[in-house]
Amino acid sequence: MSKFKYQMLIQWSDEDNCFLVGFPDFPGQPFRTHGDTYEEAVANGTQALESLIMAYEATGETLPKPTVSKVH
């Protein structure tokens, strides 16, 4: 999994009372999982990303190109 460099967006939701996790490089729903704590959101997000990549590969879809930021 470390070869993939996709962004994971984690933000707090007052409405849902949890951290929501999304992957901006993948089209579709803005959030794919959540967590009650930040650490849980990271763990759930990692699992969700792995599942998302496996689903793309299983259907033969081309994975989106990761957005990579450069630090200057």
Side-chain angles (χ1 to χ4, degrees):
M1 184 53 61
S2 63
K3 69 179 183 172
F4 297 110
K5 308 294 184 202
Y6 291 104
Q7 296 181 47
M8 182 177 356
L9 173 66
I10 300 174
Q11 68 183 51
W12 178 257
S13 170
D14 282 334
E15 181 180 335
D16 298 302
N17 196 36
C18 65
F19 289 95
L20 301 178
V21 183
F23 304 99
D25 292 324
F26 288 86
Q29 63 202 55
F31 297 103
R32 297 190 180 265
T33 190
H34 68 281
D36 291 332
T37 65
Y38 192 88
E39 293 78 11
E40 186 178 299
V42 170
N44 292 344
T46 301
Q47 289 178 344
L49 180 57
E50 289 172 352
S51 295
L52 187 57
I53 290 170
M54 287 189 320
Y56 266 70
E57 290 173 344
T59 61
E61 289 182 74
T62 302
L63 287 165
K65 184 175 178 179
T67 300
V68 178
S69 300
K70 294 187 181 194
V71 179
H72 299 275

